[in-house]
Amino acid sequence: MLLHAGATSGKQWAKVAQILQDKFRVIAPDLWGFGETEHWSGEEELTHDHQAILVVGVIEQLCDGPVHLVGHSYGGATAVRVMLHHRALVRTSVLIEPILTPLLNLAGEQGLFREYVTMAESFMRNSAAGDIDEAWRGFLDYRNGSGTWQALPETQKQRFRAVTESTLAGFRSNLSNPTSLSDLNRLSPPTLILCGEKTTTPDRRVTEILREHTPQSRYELIPGAEHMSPLTHPAFIADAIARHVNAASHHR
């Protein structure tokens, strides 16, 4: 079960799934507000717990038992909520730079926490002012380097503009994520934590905090990768997933 990053959809896993499909049945759902899943329409503001309920519904409907759960970025934060509340549904987990940014504040990394908050608030402020292109420029250039937005073809820019509202909801759910350091101690499935070698400092530090507090966890760097490693390094990601699942199965 592969959970995608914000501003994308289950399609982000196409290359990884193609490599894994000979060994596993691969399911990559679209989370609320992305891909072919409708926008969240609940009375409460969307949270990662709401996304987790959606994922649990997919597991219960399509799977005969617990799954190997993989979450990247926004989907990684949702994967953690699934494990906390529905442990019996998860055999193993792979977390690829999950957006658990509030952990930085809890771990005394206020400067790094403020760096992420500043970027998120800039996106929300520019979106509210109607300057959608500036919102996306700030976000994507922060993630992937200066000039990223400008270099995109117009078709890709249009796809990003189309998910602005869902991305706003995603930022709000990221900033309100209640996952605590003590919660990490309760993550019992064998867990592989992956981090891009060239990712942002806040994202890297979150993975290190995960490594420090999560039992049964292993940690690997993805050589040469930035944050969007499932798109840029699919062979490494697929191999890491397969190795982790096989090692956990052998250990059991």
Side-chain angles (χ1 to χ4, degrees):
M1 180 73 68
L2 309 176
L3 306 184
H4 63 81
T8 62
S9 71
K11 291 181 179 179
Q12 82 157 54
W13 295 105
K15 293 180 181 179
V16 173
Q18 187 175 19
I19 299 169
L20 291 174
Q21 64 185 0
D22 290 339
K23 299 179 180 179
F24 303 97
R25 180 188 181 200
V26 181
I27 301 172
D30 295 335
L31 298 174
W32 285 115
F34 299 103
E36 297 185 22
T37 300
E38 63 189 11
H39 289 276
W40 172 251
S41 59
E43 294 183 3
E44 300 175 325
E45 192 167 84
L46 177 66
T47 68
H48 281 288
D49 285 333
H50 294 125
Q51 297 285 20
I53 291 169
L54 181 150
V55 173
V56 168
V58 174
I59 294 173
E60 292 177 341
Q61 183 175 356
L62 298 182
C63 305
D64 295 329
V67 300
H68 303 290
L69 187 62
V70 180
H72 169 231
S73 191
Y74 182 78
T78 291
V80 168
R81 304 306 293 177
V82 173
M83 286 190 282
L84 286 173
H85 295 300
H86 304 276
R87 167 64 185 93
L89 296 179
V90 182
R91 291 183 183 179
T92 67
S93 73
V94 178
L95 300 176
I96 309 168
E97 297 186 33
I99 303 300
L100 297 168
T101 314
L103 292 179
L104 293 170
N105 203 35
L106 297 175
E109 300 280 7
Q110 281 77 24
L112 294 180
F113 178 64
R114 175 47 54 184
E115 179 180 324
Y116 178 86
V117 170
T118 298
M119 180 271 294
E121 289 178 341
S122 176
F123 186 95
M124 292 186 282
R125 182 173 58 254
N126 285 315
S127 297
D131 196 347
I132 304 304
D133 281 19
E134 180 59 22
W136 281 106
R137 185 204 62 76
F139 179 28
L140 295 182
D141 284 13
Y142 172 81
R143 277 276 174 236
N144 304 291
S146 179
T148 297
W149 172 256
Q150 183 176 353
L152 290 177
E154 184 59 26
T155 52
Q156 281 188 266
K157 289 181 178 179
Q158 290 284 21
R159 285 198 289 270
F160 280 116
R161 293 178 187 123
V163 294
T164 299
E165 287 302 316
S166 296
T167 304
L168 281 168
F171 273 124
R172 289 191 287 266
S173 58
N174 287 339
L175 292 172
S176 65
N177 193 323
T179 301
S180 66
L181 296 175
S182 61
D183 285 334
L184 301 184
N185 293 325
R186 298 193 291 112
L187 297 179
S188 56
T191 299
L192 173 63
I193 302 163
L194 295 177
C195 179
E197 180 185 27
K198 297 181 178 180
T199 195
T200 66
T201 303
D203 287 333
R204 182 177 67 251
R205 184 64 187 121
V206 167
T207 65
E208 292 169 350
I209 293 168
L210 273 169
R211 176 182 61 187
E212 293 161 7
H213 291 85
T214 304
Q216 296 197 77
S217 66
R218 295 189 305 108
Y219 188 91
E220 288 188 34
L221 286 176
I222 309 166
E226 296 179 347
H227 185 65
M228 294 305 293
S229 53
L231 295 177
T232 60
H233 293 67
F236 185 99
I237 298 295
D239 178 68
I241 292 170
R243 285 188 288 106
H244 177 61
V245 169
N246 290 336
S249 298
H250 178 72
H251 179 70
R252 285 200 302 272

